[in-house]
Amino acid sequence: MRITRETDYGIRCVLYLASRTNGAVAEEISETQGIPKAFTPKVMQKLKKAGIVRSTRGVKGRYFLAKRPEEITLYDVVEVLNGPLGLNICVVDRKSCDRVDKCSVHPVWMELTERFIEALKSHTIESLKNKTD
């Protein structure tokens, strides 16, 4: 499994907003986080729809975290932007493989995916933000 560039950008956006009490405009986020300007609004829209960020309207509309940084996990952001997590398609969609019940490797994929998700859930945006300060 690979984290998409969009997911990486989303993590950067959320971490940046966690350090900004007054929020930030899309252009500022793009410039400071090295994200293409056309990409930032798309990422922010997905995060907004998921309830991770909120925004104000207008030409100078700003983005803010919709929750406290300690309430948002790395998993929350990754799942929104990357989709369901799984090391193999059979973990995400059992119907995709007719060998799931006969496969000796399937339980390994399940276990590793569960561990990965647990690890992502163990890191809050607050704890990650503090590592970069």
Side-chain angles (χ1 to χ4, degrees), residues 20-37:
R20 310 287 301 167
T21 56
N22 293 327
V25 296
E27 187 173 320
E28 174 188 344
I29 296 168
S30 296
E31 289 175 6
T32 61
Q33 299 307 301
I35 302 170
K37 289 182 183 182

Side-chain angles (χ1 to χ4, degrees), residues 64-132:
F64 302 84
L65 289 183
K67 303 175 184 177
R68 296 188 327 247
E70 58 271 18
E71 296 175 329
I72 304 168
T73 67
L74 193 52
Y75 174 77
D76 297 330
V77 179
V78 170
E79 184 184 40
V80 165
L81 297 169
N82 216 73
L85 300 179
L87 292 176
N88 196 338
I89 188 65
C90 63
V91 174
V92 176
D93 179 13
R94 287 182 60 91
K95 295 176 188 174
S96 69
C97 179
D98 60 359
R99 299 191 40 81
V100 169
D101 295 326
K102 303 175 245 183
C103 180
S104 60
V105 182
H106 181 75
V108 176
W109 297 146
M110 291 295 293
E111 178 187 350
L112 292 173
T113 298
E114 288 170 10
R115 286 184 187 180
F116 183 56
I117 290 170
E118 286 175 23
L120 291 173
K121 286 180 176 181
S122 73
H123 296 281
T124 65
I125 295 303
E126 180 68 22
S127 69
L128 294 169
K129 177 191 83 140
N130 290 336
K131 290 181 180 179
T132 60

